[in-house]
Amino acid sequence: MQTPATFHYERAGSVEEAISLLERHGPETRLLAGGHSLLPMMKIRLASPGTLVDINGLAELDYIRLEGDEIAIGALTRHTGVLDSAVLAEHYRIFAEAERVIADPLVRNRGTVGGSLCQADPAEDLSAVFSALRADLVVASASGRRSVPVREFHLGPYETVVGENEILIEARVPVRPGAGSAYEKVERRAGDWAVAATGAFVQLRDGLAVDVGIGLSAVGADHHSCAEAEEQLRGRELTPDAIAAAAATCRDRCHPTADQRGPVDYKRHLVEVLVTRALTRALERARGEEA
Amino acid sequence: MTATEVPVPTSPAGNPIGFGRMLRKEDARFLRGQGHYIDDVQLPGMLHAAILRSSYAHARITGIDTSAAEAHPKVKAVITGATLEGLNLAWMPTLSGDVQSVLATDKVRFQGQEVAFVIAEDEYSARDALELIEVDYEPLPAVVDARKALEPDAPVIRDDLEGRTDNRIYDWEAGDKAACDEVFAGAEVVVAEDMLYPRVHPAPMETCGSVAHMDKVTGKLTVWTTTQAPHAHRTLYAIVAGLPEHKIQIISPDIGGGFGNKVGIYPGYVCAVVGSIVTGAPVKWIEDRSENLMSTSFARDYHMHGEIASTREGKILGLRVDVLADHGAFNGVAQPTKYPAGFFHIFTGSYDYPAAHCHVRAVYTNKAPGGVAYACSFRITEAVYLVERMVNCLADELGMDPAELRMKNLLRPEQFPYTTPTGWEYDSGNYPAALEEAMRIAGYEELRREQAERRADPAGKPLMGIGISFFTEGVGAGPRKHMDILGLGMADGCELRVHPTGKAQLRLSVQTQGQGHETTFAQIVSHELGIPPEDIEVIHGDTDNTPFGLGTYGSRSTPVSGAAAAVAAQRVREKARIIAATALECSPDDLEWELGRWQVKGDPEQGKTIPEIAFASHGNLELPEGVEGHLDASVVYNPPNLTYPFGAYICVVDVDPETGEVKVRRFIAVDDCGPRINPMIVEGQIHGGLADGIGMALMEAIAFDPEGNNLGGSFMDYLLPTSLECPSYELGMTVTPSPHHPIGAKGVGESATVGSPPAVVNAVLDALEIRQADMPFTPAVVWRAMQGRPLRTDLAIE
């Protein structure tokens, strides 16, 4: 039997109430969203929060919608909602491709976008997706709302800028007309965390890449990305050689660690292979070459 | 011979009378969620227990302070090694003649070892109290790499054993070394290879657990426990705890998978018994997943060096093997006493050659004990892996197709019964027919053509590999004169009672863990008596209500208890003949058997059905002198030999050369287990075993870091395959009955687990066009193998 330590339970009826509950119960309080990381950690007592504030009732945070030139994704949107979203499918294929290889249907039915980002597991997939797309994340507190670029959101493994009395409520992704995107992941088995994963988008104008985004997961990349590689490609024609050079940059600039999923040399090699594949497929989609 | 299923009459419920496909009788409760497992056992006043485990692989215990835990308001007792020492229970005998610590007294010897046992009013409080126990450890250097266990400066793990100065457990040999060496010295071709069968874990869906209840008034101990061998456990509790055996009842309710994990007695079981004695209340202990993976019986961990000799034309002449066996901190292997390396010396496999020799050296390391588990048929898994890998290495050396090399060397049908160079007597087989059938289903020639085309086109990716394995299993332990466990012979009892209305109860000593005994054994009786399987209730898993026998493992249920059930039913049938003859006022010799009915030869209208005979046997019919009433039989079946199922497996894989990812495209399995009692159950067992094999070949392994920390202690780290890694299996069969089994059946439960790993490994290596790399073939391992820089898969990678 796996049994968590004793904890206090509260259920929030609104974002405001959730924030006041966080304030009232202090720093040993954790938000409970999908619970697919937190609850197992509690059961094996890697986490023993004093209070859980359950935000699963906050339907107001479960949405994906187009707002002007941005797509807004509520923090309580379940993975399965991202996987099935017509809006995201129209603009960014990367979402469905990433979601299809996140855990399994049971986890996807319950796990949330906000929970994934705030858990900040270094091998988490959506962090790489949002980082590739340079999303903004909206954080709420009693004093109002602030917007944080995703590449400034993570402070390190399992650590974000979200304060003790704050809640991540939304991700905002800029719409980039004509952009193609793709996600690539190698895992030891379906549902496993990534050995390495990469996401990419390419936006073309007159055959040149006016914008490029590269996201990386599980390989210790700064901000889940590689700004140098993006810079190498921006404004250029994405020839196979140019893509290969950018992929090599990603390979050299990441900081993977050895574990049961593989040694460092293999993970660097994978970064090169997967960045090449993701960029190539994103490019084909931007060109309308791939259905 | 390719066999098809023989149609039989059907019962009113639509089931076959006798052998054939029918839905499992036990599924009605399992599919409704109405199974009854250990954790479903609830008794009035029941307490809950949790185990404090060592965080170190090797450390001296200098102090344990349990006062804070004992002060917890809901804690009833805290038991430590010191408590048990006072009861002379701190150590218990293992199934291999060693002793194992129940709760550590002097040292801890592996990470996860049991240190203290807390009993509380609920499982939450028991777990809370673990955090209140303070243990002072003095860390010691750990022996993690088995290859360094015998180095002069290696720390001595078992300093508890009198006079012990190193970590050697045993050296054991089989075969004629001198004759074998002579063959090798004169051979034209000798190929040598090192290979590791890594430490893996059976990982049953239900973890281990126990509810112990000592009734102080009656003095009776009842233990509901996860055991594959209830009767053996009863006797062991009597021996270990000094309790009177007639006052011990072991109940093994529904068991959620065993695979050898639930054969032995674990410290938690003993502590639950002690806890019930100490507290006077029933005590439940259920381990969690990490405890199961880190402390209970692992499997394999065999470092093997093989050498194979042949002529230039590919006639195999001999095989010799040197094994280093990692047994962990205690020699807790479950196997017949005479065979310290299990049945590993069956390693000569399915081939005809005269010379063979093996040497097995076993060592202690700072890892969990165990070694025979995960459907391994007492180490035939390791043996088949060794020979099937060596044959492939030889094919590579000779530049010969591995199917052709196998066909050239397989034993021929006319050689059976065949005595191997290491002394096994294979009962029956037609090996070439099985391999031909597998190659036919696979379209072997076409596959090789496709592979050649891919290799000729350098842009053609992924890489394609084809792997073959041919296995001979030896299951159904076993003949009393050769096989016992702790002195208990491996014969099985069985009791069949036919009630007055012709419905029957069959009492078995074996215990199902998902194999479908309640259906298969009913079908065996149905086959012999001609009454519907739905009219036969199988009773098992309760020592007070079943005859003695050694349990279910090593695929022994059908070969041993299945034979017992068939013989019991045959005896009932013969008794029924006498009673029918009495009722019909004729001689038993005048009767002939027609499914379910004794009838007069030449006058079939005159006859009695089994229900009619059953009623008469309980009624007022005057029976002949010496014939007792009722229609019952009791049997103890001592198998004359093992049964030897076999099979030919072909695996096709695609490998992404850039990422190292392996995709199993096809898996063809032709199994011969003799007549199939319920083909659906047989196929289900094969499906499960193939998934096991794919898992072991591609992802399963428990590795350790240099400090001896277990790196496979959760399902995040110890991967099991899912449906997405398994192809839609293509099954075939041949049918070669066992000549000595009453219905010709051979065991099949472990065949696919034994036979499939080398097929997958051979396929991956074929795709990479390399000779050797070690399981599991994770993407990283494949990529490094392609580069000629293989990874150690048993230790933490760099």
Side-chain angles (χ1 to χ4, degrees):
Chain A
M1 259 302 263
Q2 292 177 331
T3 51
T6 305
F7 60 90
H8 182 69
Y9 175 87
E10 297 275 4
R11 190 169 174 85
S14 66
V15 172
E16 291 69 30
E17 189 187 357
I19 291 167
S20 76
L21 285 167
L22 286 172
E23 288 176 338
R24 191 188 318 155
H25 290 283
E28 294 305 310
T29 306
R30 293 287 302 270
L31 293 175
L32 175 66
H36 272 74
S37 294
L38 180 59
L39 295 183
M41 285 168 68
M42 288 170 64
K43 284 183 179 181
I44 58 175
R45 303 206 176 193
L46 278 175
S48 297
T51 301
L52 286 187
V53 174
D54 186 346
I55 56 169
N56 280 284
L58 305 187
E60 65 203 81
L61 295 184
D62 183 1
Y63 57 84
I64 299 172
R65 60 190 173 228
L66 203 55
E67 293 181 356
D69 56 359
E70 287 184 321
I71 302 168
I73 303 173
L76 207 68
T77 305
R78 312 284 167 179
H79 287 293
T80 187
V82 175
L83 179 60
D84 295 339
S85 164
V87 173
L88 291 175
E90 183 188 339
H91 294 279
Y92 288 115
R93 299 272 299 274
I94 186 174
F95 278 102
E97 276 187 4
E99 285 290 358
R100 211 168 284 125
V101 292
I102 290 176
D104 55 49
L106 301 181
V107 173
R108 294 199 292 263
N109 284 340
R110 199 75 192 147
T112 65
V113 170
S116 296
L117 289 169
C118 290
Q119 178 66 21
D121 190 297
E124 197 274 315
D125 293 283
L126 287 184
S127 302
V129 171
F130 284 113
S131 193
L133 300 177
R134 290 194 290 278
D136 286 321
L137 303 180
V138 181
V139 178
S141 68
S143 55
R145 297 182 172 194
R146 64 188 176 114
S147 180
V148 183
V150 66
R151 294 187 185 185
E152 295 168 20
F153 183 79
H154 293 102
L155 299 176
Y158 309 104
E159 203 183 349
T160 72
V161 298
V162 179
E164 276 171 18
N165 299 327
E166 289 187 314
I167 300 182
L168 171 67
I169 57 167
E170 186 180 73
R172 301 186 72 84
V173 181
V175 170
R176 299 179 177 92
S181 64
Y183 197 75
E184 289 279 346
K185 175 178 180 176
V186 167
E187 52 192 1
R188 295 175 300 176
R189 187 207 62 194
D192 189 23
W193 295 93
V195 180
T198 71
F201 84 85
V202 170
Q203 189 181 16
L204 297 178
R205 194 173 303 143
D206 304 327
L208 301 181
V210 288
D211 203 358
V212 174
I214 296 172
L216 296 165
S217 191
V219 290
D222 297 336
H223 314 297
H224 290 280
S225 185
C226 184
E228 298 91 329
E230 292 170 344
E231 202 49 49
Q232 261 177 282
L233 296 174
R234 200 167 285 126
R236 290 193 49 189
E237 185 187 349
L238 299 192
T239 62
D241 284 350
I243 288 175
T249 301
C250 293
R251 175 198 66 202
D252 295 339
R253 298 291 161 87
C254 64
H255 312 284
T257 52
D259 58 19
Q260 290 295 288
R261 293 184 176 79
V264 169
D265 60 348
Y266 171 66
K267 291 185 178 182
R268 287 192 186 280
H269 164 79
L270 266 191
V271 166
E272 187 173 12
V273 170
L274 297 185
V275 168
T276 303
R277 288 182 181 181
L279 279 171
T280 303
R281 216 168 59 252
L283 178 64
E284 287 167 0
R285 286 176 177 165
R287 286 174 177 160
E289 290 172 356
E290 198 215 85
Chain B
M1 173 191 71
T2 306
T4 50
E5 288 159 32
V6 183
V8 297
T10 51
S11 73
N15 293 320
I17 295 186
F19 301 164
R21 289 169 194 273
M22 64 175 275
L23 295 180
R24 303 196 319 169
K25 296 172 70 176
E26 43 270 79
D27 285 345
R29 66 177 188 278
F30 292 144
L31 294 176
R32 288 172 172 81
Q34 297 297 310
H36 193 70
Y37 299 90
I38 299 295
D39 208 12
D40 296 320
V41 174
Q42 299 292 345
L43 300 176
M46 189 174 74
L47 302 173
H48 298 264
I51 292 178
L52 181 70
R53 294 176 180 278
S54 166
S55 48
Y56 291 96
H58 200 193
R60 192 162 301 285
I61 295 176
T62 56
I64 302 181
D65 183 353
T66 60
S67 54
E70 283 167 49
H72 187 290
K74 291 191 173 176
V75 167
K76 296 291 182 185
V78 179
I79 297 170
T80 64
T83 324
L84 295 182
E85 263 179 335
L87 302 166
N88 203 22
L89 284 175
W91 296 80
M92 63 178 182
T94 71
L95 295 176
S96 286
D98 194 358
V99 290
Q100 174 175 354
S101 169
V102 178
L103 292 175
T105 50
D106 52 342
K107 290 199 301 187
V108 289
R109 293 173 170 85
F110 66 92
Q111 188 187 45
Q113 187 180 334
E114 299 80 2
V115 175
F117 191 78
V118 172
I119 302 161
E121 288 175 22
D122 59 77
E123 57 263 54
Y124 292 86
S125 301
R127 177 71 180 78
D128 289 347
L130 295 185
E131 289 165 28
L132 301 174
I133 299 173
E134 283 185 31
V135 184
D136 295 323
Y137 293 107
E138 181 189 308
L140 300 167
V143 179
V144 181
D145 186 343
R147 280 169 270 203
K148 296 179 178 165
L150 293 181
E151 288 182 355
D153 60 344
V156 178
I157 297 167
R158 296 301 302 280
D159 48 357
D160 59 296
L161 299 173
E162 189 87 20
R164 175 64 63 172
T165 57
D166 63 18
N167 295 314
R168 199 184 71 90
I169 303 175
Y170 64 77
D171 281 274
W172 184 80
E173 292 181 54
D176 185 335
K177 182 171 193 313
C180 192
D181 289 349
E182 201 179 315
V183 166
F184 270 79
E188 292 170 335
V189 180
V190 173
V191 183
E193 199 54 76
D194 286 304
M195 57 195 68
L196 168 69
Y197 210 134
R199 178 173 280 237
V200 292
H201 197 279
M205 200 184 296
E206 179 200 30
T207 58
C208 297
S210 207
V211 178
H213 182 208
M214 169 61 89
D215 186 322
K216 286 198 165 169
V217 176
T218 62
K220 180 162 184 174
L221 171 68
T222 308
V223 185
W224 291 259
T225 187
T226 44
T227 176
Q228 300 175 218
H231 291 276
H233 276 212
R234 185 186 64 196
T235 305
L236 287 170
Y237 281 115
I239 293 170
V240 171
L243 297 166
E245 193 170 4
H246 65 300
K247 294 277 194 182
I248 303 172
Q249 180 181 12
I250 305 294
I251 299 172
S252 179
D254 286 329
I255 298 296
F259 315 103
N261 189 237
K262 294 168 180 168
V263 172
I265 290 188
Y266 294 116
Y269 301 171
V270 177
C271 288
V273 171
V274 174
S276 181
I277 293 171
V278 167
T279 62
V283 172
K284 177 189 275 187
W285 168 71
I286 305 286
E287 70 187 3
D288 69 23
R289 180 59 62 190
S290 292
E291 293 180 290
N292 180 255
L293 286 169
M294 290 175 70
S295 73
T296 65
S297 199
F298 72 95
R300 331 290 190 245
D301 220 342
Y302 257 34
H303 301 255
M304 301 183 277
H305 175 78
E307 291 176 90
I308 191 165
S310 85
T311 66
R312 253 185 264 288
E313 289 71 41
K315 180 79 194 87
I316 300 173
L317 301 173
L319 184 62
R320 57 186 179 193
V321 193
D322 206 24
V323 177
L324 179 65
D326 184 338
H327 281 221
F330 308 99
N331 187 16
V333 178
Q335 65 213 348
T337 308
K338 258 172 68 173
Y339 306 101
F343 296 168
F344 181 77
H345 55 302
I346 203 168
F347 68 89
T348 57
S350 313
Y351 309 103
D352 179 21
Y353 53 88
H357 178 259
C358 74
H359 165 238
V360 180
R361 169 169 290 176
V363 296
Y364 291 119
T365 61
N366 288 114
K367 302 175 190 170
V372 164
Y374 207 167
C376 76
S377 299
F378 301 117
R379 303 233 189 248
I380 297 178
T381 322
E382 290 92 323
V384 165
Y385 185 73
L386 185 276
V387 64
E388 290 306 298
R389 288 287 306 110
M390 290 311 298
V391 167
N392 255 48
C393 290
L394 178 62
D396 186 59
E397 179 75 18
L398 297 170
M400 205 169 173
D401 185 287
E404 185 192 343
L405 179 61
R406 283 181 173 81
M407 205 55 101
K408 198 180 180 98
N409 288 283
L410 282 175
L411 291 164
R412 317 302 300 178
E414 61 275 14
Q415 289 177 278
F416 292 87
Y418 172 81
T419 302
T420 75
T422 52
W424 300 93
E425 190 188 298
Y426 294 175
D427 57 351
S428 62
N430 186 346
Y431 293 179
L435 182 53
E436 280 163 16
E437 176 66 359
M439 292 171 71
R440 182 192 67 76
I441 296 171
Y444 187 75
E445 298 304 322
E446 181 52 39
L447 286 171
R448 286 290 178 201
R449 223 180 346 264
E450 181 191 349
Q451 183 185 43
E453 281 167 16
R454 285 240 209 139
R455 284 180 177 171
D457 173 14
K461 53 183 180 180
L463 308 173
M464 174 180 171
I466 304 160
I468 302 177
S469 104
F470 197 102
F471 68 90
T472 299
E473 263 265 67
V475 300
R480 291 171 65 114
K481 63 179 174 179
H482 297 308
M483 295 180 192
D484 68 88
I485 291 182
L486 287 182
L488 298 171
M490 303 187 80
D492 280 358
C494 170
E495 292 168 10
L496 176 63
R497 292 185 201 162
V498 184
H499 299 322
T501 57
K503 316 289 185 189
Q505 287 186 324
L506 180 73
R507 291 164 200 276
L508 296 171
S509 62
V510 289
Q511 165 60 1
T512 186
Q513 311 118 44
Q515 294 93 336
H517 286 185
E518 290 164 41
T519 309
T520 297
F521 283 86
Q523 289 187 263
I524 291 172
V525 173
S526 173
H527 175 77
E528 298 294 341
L529 291 185
I531 57 178
E534 62 265 26
D535 288 352
I536 302 153
E537 189 73 3
V538 172
I539 296 164
H540 55 168
D542 179 347
T543 54
D544 274 9
N545 289 301
T546 56
F548 190 87
L550 275 216
T552 295
Y553 42 83
S555 300
R556 66 186 297 278
S557 290
T558 295
V560 187
S561 275
V567 170
Q570 288 164 3
R571 283 190 194 163
V572 162
R573 195 172 68 205
E574 284 312 303
K575 184 172 179 181
R577 180 181 202 164
I578 296 167
I579 294 165
T582 310
L584 294 166
E585 297 177 346
C586 64
S587 160
D589 293 339
D590 295 335
L591 297 178
E592 62 184 3
W593 177 253
E594 177 70 35
L595 190 65
R597 191 168 182 270
W598 284 109
Q599 62 194 28
V600 177
K601 290 175 188 166
D603 186 8
E605 295 291 300
Q606 293 291 314
K608 293 284 181 192
T609 64
I610 286 290
E612 289 166 346
I613 297 166
F615 204 88
S617 76
H618 291 83
N620 57 10
L621 181 69
E622 186 77 31
L623 296 174
E625 188 70 24
V627 178
E628 294 174 344
H630 302 180
L631 197 53
D632 303 341
S634 180
V635 169
V636 177
Y637 186 81
N638 177 30
N641 189 5
L642 303 180
T643 65
Y644 293 84
F646 56 91
Y649 290 176
I650 298 177
C651 178
V652 184
V653 299
D654 294 304
V655 180
D656 182 327
E658 289 187 324
T659 64
E661 292 165 289
V662 175
K663 176 92 186 153
V664 178
R665 189 205 302 180
R666 292 178 66 193
F667 203 108
I668 296 94
V670 173
D671 273 272
D672 191 326
C673 55
R676 296 184 174 198
I677 297 158
N678 185 324
M680 187 194 76
I681 288 178
V682 170
E683 288 163 8
Q685 295 217 318
I686 292 167
H687 279 210
L690 296 178
D692 283 342
I694 288 169
M696 282 182 271
L698 300 186
M699 62 193 76
E700 293 179 40
I702 296 180
F704 291 81
D705 76 5
E707 281 73 48
N709 292 307
N710 185 317
L711 303 177
S714 81
F715 279 160
M716 263 179 69
D717 306 299
Y718 188 76
L719 300 181
L720 295 174
T722 73
S723 60
L724 294 180
E725 284 76 42
C726 299
S728 191
Y729 303 118
E730 300 167 67
L731 305 188
M733 68 170 180
T734 60
V735 178
T736 311
S738 168
H740 63 77
H741 188 282
I743 52 176
K746 301 180 175 185
V748 72
E750 300 166 313
S751 285
T753 314
V754 167
S756 56
V760 181
V761 168
N762 283 338
V764 174
L765 296 175
D766 183 51
L768 305 185
E769 298 184 76
I770 61 174
R771 192 177 281 182
Q772 165 58 15
D774 286 322
M775 297 181 281
F777 286 141
T778 62
V781 169
V782 170
W783 182 74
R784 286 288 291 263
M786 287 171 72
Q787 312 228 320
R789 297 185 297 134
L791 283 168
R792 282 282 296 259
T793 57
D794 57 335
L795 301 176
I797 52 183
E798 72 263 35

